[in-house]
Amino acid sequence: MFAFLRPTPPVHDPLEPPVPGASDEIKHTTCYMCACRCGIRVHLRNGEVRYIDGNPAHPLNEGKICAKGSSGIMKQHSPARLTVPLKRRPGSARGDGEYVEISWDEVFTTLTERLGRIRATDPKRFALFTGRDQMQALTGLWARQFGTPNYAAHGGFCSVNMAAGMIYSIGGSFWEFGGPDLEHARLFVMIGTAEDHHSNPLKTAISKFKRAGGRFVSINPVRTGYSAIADEWIPIRPGTDGALFMALIRELIASGEFDRDFVARRTNAMDLVDLDSGLVVGRGDSLEGERDVAGKPARPVFELLRERVADCTPEWASAITGIPAPRIAALAREMGETAMRESFELPIPWTDTEGVEHAGVVARPVAFHAMRGLAAHSNGFQTIRALAILMSLLGTIDRPGGFRHKAPFPKAIPPAVRPPNSWDQVRPMTPLGAAPLGFPTSPDDLSVGPEGEPIRLDKGFSWEHPLSAHGLMHNVITNAWRGDPYRIDTLLIFMANMAWNSTMNTAQVRAMLNDRDEAGEYRIPFIAVCDAFASEMTQYADLILPDTTYLERHDAMSLLDRPISEFDGPVDSVRIPVVAPKGQCKPFQEVLIELGWRLKLPVFTHPDGSRKYRGYEDFIVRYETAPGSGIGFLGGWRGADGEKSLVGEPNPRPWEKYAENNCVFHHELPRNMQYMRNWNRDYLAFARQAGFNGPPEPIRIQLYSPVMQSFRLAAQGRREGRQPPAHLRERIERHFDPLPFWSPPLEYAATDLEQYPLNAITQRPMAMYHSWDSQNAWLRQIHSHNYLMVNPATARAAGVKDGGWIWVESQWGRLRCMCRYSEAVEPGTVWTWNAIGKSRGAWNLGPQADESSKGFLLNHLISEELPLPDAGPGKTISNSDPVTGQAGWYDVRVRIGPAHADEPKEVWPRFPAMKQMPGTGIIRKVQAYFAGTK
Ligand code: SF4
């Protein structure tokens, strides 16, 4: 019998009594099996993890844990763990999978020499892009210190439309930055969300909401995730949500069932717009009527909005969305009536920025939640602007029962962070002259040079995607390969699977990673990858840095980045290691601190050249955003004696305080600061002191966006200063509309919609977080492969059987997979789980594993670029929202048909099996059946 088949004692048996003499202990830290950041208790025996459960004392999850969270032990034991630094074997080709083990010293020497040379000559030739990490405050700081503009995290291919669309409208957004107040809501409308990043808390809140008698309506092409327990599911065609919102706005205005007082006082609805220039020229005193301003006609924003939606009847929206017109009209009525007639007041006195004292806070108990289903379309920015305006008409912004902000939001519209706007800010041996990412206020803030050429490799903040607040990671490899806008030298990728599920056009992008120029040199000369697991991406690396898991390192979920704030005040949290790093794994944070010093980046180095921080743990304690600012990565227990909150000199022992307090710091605001924060005098004064915001000015909701109008005027040649290139003028004029509008996704203009009649989308399952868990023995038993889910009527019409093998084709590619009938999808849409399918051998799975023989990836059918007229003659342009650069994942159109009976019963395309990496687990099959045994 093979040794690995012999029964071995389990790592733990929860029913076993404590073993005499064994050392049992419980350590607290923060989960990272998804981005929700629940508090967990890790139970150890003799220093080894026995099991993980939820921390009952943690404010976010109150003891709850999901399938992913409790499977963290299998992440520790995964045979896919990278455990040693590796370099591509000299003489082997990239993609061959030939690696040799090296020391960390060689890693640091290689990177210091290479990056030092780049920094001394042309820092933009180094690009750092990261995936779903929770340390962008550090990675962004590091890139800025290095001096490269080429930095971003995953947001551009995730949900930047949600962030930018909401922030440019109301000064805050969903998830970390705000959410639905289900404690006080009566009606909850969820749109374009299946499973999200606020997993356990939202499930708990929905459960309580429903038990209290609230009504939950889910609008989504697919009924999965949260929608499964909605009182009503309203199927909608993908990419049409904006049309629905426009019709709802129209109905509310027409019926008068909206919060007129809120709209007048708290938004820019009364601002007067010059009818010729579209510029705001003053503030009027009513929502209606034409004025004369300096001899020119001007009208209030509200009138322009009403005019904009005048033709957006329920019948108009019905033809686009597929929702019956009477249902749209009834939904608008229900929203308006619930907001206005089921309103109540909480007796919480507060004072607004005009000094007016209010005896209470008025509730508008209609809450919304929306996410990627709205965002991942090329029309998503304007769709989300429309949603923000719908919410504002209902008066549900930072009020009981509606949307509520979470610190550090709300922020000024837009927040006061700008990207670099000239080549002068990108200089050798000098930190970048601005933050790599930010929020432009006008064309003057764009990252373009004198000829309009993009400063960034991904063309973020260029005329192609001016408000790309999170960058465009999905175009990095294609642009670097093509040398457009320029060639780079070194690409450092941290925990992002850019050779598989995080990229579109998968096969070609993999080829680009391997491609050489005429001289035989790789077009992307050097690729370094830091990851904890052997993903599809690692095989394209020249250098591999083995990262730690979340149980092995310090982390900070910082107020400078993405904290876990609650509605009632700022909250940040930490991770504290519970076990030692496996093998030679090293946290990427430590790598950055070490490299920062070796490269003599100012923040990480004393003026005499000596090292400033021992490591990340020390950095978190002592770093301040500016010398003496008192603001650092953590807000808890600051000051020499730990008595200060949010602002104060570094406390030498914050880790102990966090450890004593469930790894969480919660600053509960006084009740008078908990609502109406855009206009709350006391809150805004506090926010300034805490470093969240600038001067305590009211943050008026922008129904009409002057920022958008400034770009439109430039496109029309009616604004001095920077002008867009000729081929982009029409595109900018069309999409930079200061009022929301609905237009079909850009991809439709390049698609024969009759040939490809179906929308194809993906959803993230509850039991897996993107590709992170394909190597997890427990979670693989829930999802080892996926199907294309098709409405039975659609499937039968295409001659496709339930469970049968089918071909799915877009104009960009084709794939073979299995079909599953589902009534829970509207007939014009097909869908599948995201990132279940794997390339053979990746994640150290056996070459015949379900994930690569039956699991598939929809990404093969999606193009990262489109041949649109906007691109210029004979060129392509990013498949993204023209405003923000958000990847248009959900715009692809497909057709389906049966596979021939003679065809192999396995997915296609198939790629050569990835070789096993040195240092990963030896027996791959063990991962399927016996992982977790000693
Ligand atoms: S919801 Fe996410 S953070 Fe919370 S327990 Fe599950 S995996 Fe962990």
Side-chain angles (χ1 to χ4, degrees), residues 30-40 54 60-61 64-70 134 195-201 203 550 575 766 769 773:
T30 304
C31 186
Y32 197 12
M33 292 294 285
C34 84
C36 182
R37 298 161 294 185
C38 298
I40 51 171
L60 199 73
N61 56 318
K64 296 169 197 73
I65 193 161
C66 74
K68 302 180 295 275
S70 54
Q134 295 180 336
E195 167 73 3
D196 76 337
H197 299 312
H198 205 50
S199 189
N200 278 332
K203 288 185 184 93
Y550 67 108
R575 293 194 180 93
M766 284 192 191
Y769 193 69
D773 301 306

Side-chain angles (χ1 to χ4, degrees), residues 277-352:
S277 66
L279 293 172
V280 171
V281 288
R283 185 155 173 86
D285 51 14
S286 88
L287 296 177
E288 285 96 9
E290 189 164 309
R291 305 291 142 76
D292 186 281
V293 179
K296 293 166 78 180
R299 290 170 69 194
V301 161
F302 184 77
E303 279 217 345
L304 300 182
L305 176 65
R306 181 162 59 189
E307 216 165 74
R308 168 56 56 86
V309 297
D311 295 333
C312 302
T313 61
E315 291 71 24
W316 168 83
S318 177
I320 296 167
T321 61
I323 304 171
R327 187 68 202 88
I328 296 174
L331 186 61
R333 256 194 321 277
E334 186 179 5
M335 287 177 178
E337 288 177 5
T338 309
M340 301 309 295
R341 299 186 199 180
E342 295 189 34
S343 177
F344 53 91
E345 188 168 304
L346 295 182
I348 301 172
W350 67 284
T351 307
D352 68 24

Side-chain angles (χ1 to χ4, degrees), residues 8-53:
T8 52
V11 170
H12 72 89
D13 179 349
L15 302 178
E16 247 181 34
V19 177
S23 133
D24 286 333
E25 57 183 329
I26 301 172
K27 291 186 178 174
H28 292 168
T29 189
T30 304
C31 186
Y32 197 12
M33 292 294 285
C34 84
C36 182
R37 298 161 294 185
C38 298
I40 51 171
R41 300 187 300 195
V42 183
H43 300 253
L44 301 125
R45 174 166 296 163
N46 296 331
E48 193 167 355
V49 180
R50 296 179 66 216
Y51 64 97
I52 299 171
D53 63 3

Side-chain angles (χ1 to χ4, degrees), residues 86-89 94 99 522 524-529 538-544:
L86 301 169
K87 75 172 175 189
R88 182 160 54 84
R89 185 182 294 283
R94 198 182 279 168
Y99 285 91
Y522 285 114
I524 304 174
F526 194 76
I527 300 175
V529 172
T538 49
Q539 66 186 316
Y540 296 100
D542 301 301
L543 192 65
I544 296 176

